[in-house]
Amino acid sequence: MKKSVVKFSALVLAALTALSFLSSCSKQNDRTLFLYNWTYYTPDEVLRDFEKEFDCVVKVDSYASNEEMYSKLKAGAKGYDIVVPSQDYVSIMINQGMLRPLDQSKMTNRNNINPLALEKATYDPTMKYAVPYYFGAAGISVNKTKVPAGYARDWSVFADKRFAGHATMMDDMREVMGDALVHLGKSVNTLDDAALDAAEKLIEKEWKPNIVKFDAESFGKSFASGDFWLCHGYAEVIYGEVPEEKWDETIDFFIPEEGGAAYLDSMCILKDAKHVELANEFINYIHRPEVYAKFLDAFSFPCFVNLKAAQFMTRKPMYEASQMNNCELKIDLGEGLDKYNERWQRIRFTD
């Protein structure tokens, strides 16, 4: 999911407000599960079905970034049971003792999880603390009505002069630099200075001259209007702006076979959770194939995490899940992130 920096102090008031709300709800119903999740990330149908089967109430609070979620919890917000951080924050929260080990006896659907997803989740490959929820990656969208076939179907397409003045890449250093590194045959998590210098040069000299701007928010609208012909970003942003009847004729979305930077959001139980049994049941419930299929259908997501769900899907996904097979998760780099930030500042703010 999209990441943005959130100042710690600005969230203290929100944390106290949430604390009061959660405390009030707990008094009303002890069989209440408190889910802290990304905005619009869990279909209401799934929540209501769980409530009926387990005779409980699910209360949902949402966040727009990992930083917002993490800062709010560190500021003292209490009462949440389940949280859904991305891979780097799962790693951080495990190391800081913020998560409770899952009750493996409840995880009867664990065998439905794609082994490849767990192979990529090197921070918790046995699902001791985190069960994968959704694996996703940014890719490339080409407006087929503007540029005919014949363009490269890898990251070098951003050097194609036919797209000059009509191309955009995400305003996200780990995404853009990660994809440049992949194109150079390197890891999206490398800290090798020579590799990072080569990625910076590639972006600066070959890609940036064609790019109108780095944009992580509004590129979908500009693609739909015909202003942008080549966009780097999440498929759901593009498909969400283009009328469904025009998807096939307009959008060519693909993730290069060489791979790219990816994310993995996972369901975790907070260490101070009050409704642990319900939380374990919910995490396991999500991975019933017929339930997980409802989640995928709600967003036209590809079926990567829970392969058995594919047989229950009723909507065609935006792209095939196999396109993400070669993608690599962005891990927490600690102080090494400064190497990326230093180069990104030069890329973003120098002519």
Side-chain angles (χ1 to χ4, degrees), residues 5 42 93 106 120 125 144 163 191 209 223 244 261 286 310 331:
V5 177
T42 310
M93 294 171 78
K106 298 285 189 182
K120 294 176 184 292
K144 296 188 292 185
F163 295 101
L191 294 177
F223 184 94
E244 188 168 354
I286 290 295
I331 64 172

Side-chain angles (χ1 to χ4, degrees), residues 11-28:
L11 292 162
V12 173
L13 181 59
L16 294 174
T17 301
L19 190 157
S20 176
F21 166 76
L22 293 171
S23 176
S24 174
C25 290
S26 295
K27 292 176 182 177
Q28 294 175 17

